[in-house]
Amino acid sequence: GGEYRFDFSTIPIPVDLRVEKFTKKLLHNNNINNDDIRTFWSEVLKKIQENESRINMIHLDSLIWQIASLSENELCEYFGSLGIEHIGRKLIKLFESSFD
């Protein structure tokens, strides 16, 4: 069998509209640019990898893409279905009143 492990460590997060809007809402800052967004998620990934080295930027981007447009209730349901509802509640606290 071949080896299918790829090194994603140098790949920045692709900043599409969904990632951009989610990041601006999370940081309460509409004035950040794509480089700032990439730097932010790179730092988030470094922190995640301190506890879970198997997570890479592709995983993080996929998660953001899935949850970016969810309401508060949907976030709780999403993370609850994974058995980690407390993560959804923490995200909601980060957003504070910035949910649409």
Side-chain angles (χ1 to χ4, degrees), residues 48-75:
I48 291 170
Q49 288 177 334
E50 289 175 7
N51 296 311
E52 185 49 74
S53 62
R54 295 175 297 174
I55 302 295
N56 63 47
M57 192 59 81
I58 303 301
H59 298 124
L60 190 55
D61 178 55
S62 177
L63 174 65
I64 294 164
W65 212 88
Q66 291 175 64
I67 67 172
S69 61
L70 299 180
S71 69
E72 290 184 22
N73 288 339
E74 290 168 332
L75 268 176

Side-chain angles (χ1 to χ4, degrees), residues 18-74:
R18 192 177 282 215
V19 169
E20 179 185 356
K21 287 177 77 174
F22 182 79
T23 308
K24 287 178 176 183
K25 181 164 57 172
L26 183 65
L27 298 178
H28 306 282
N29 183 349
N30 284 323
N31 297 317
I32 58 174
N33 62 36
N34 287 356
D35 287 337
D36 295 333
I37 292 170
R38 286 186 198 97
T39 299
F40 171 75
W41 288 111
S42 178
E43 292 300 316
V44 168
L45 182 60
K46 282 181 195 171
K47 288 291 188 190
I48 291 170
Q49 288 177 334
E50 289 175 7
N51 296 311
E52 185 49 74
S53 62
R54 295 175 297 174
I55 302 295
N56 63 47
M57 192 59 81
I58 303 301
H59 298 124
L60 190 55
D61 178 55
S62 177
L63 174 65
I64 294 164
W65 212 88
Q66 291 175 64
I67 67 172
S69 61
L70 299 180
S71 69
E72 290 184 22
N73 288 339
E74 290 168 332

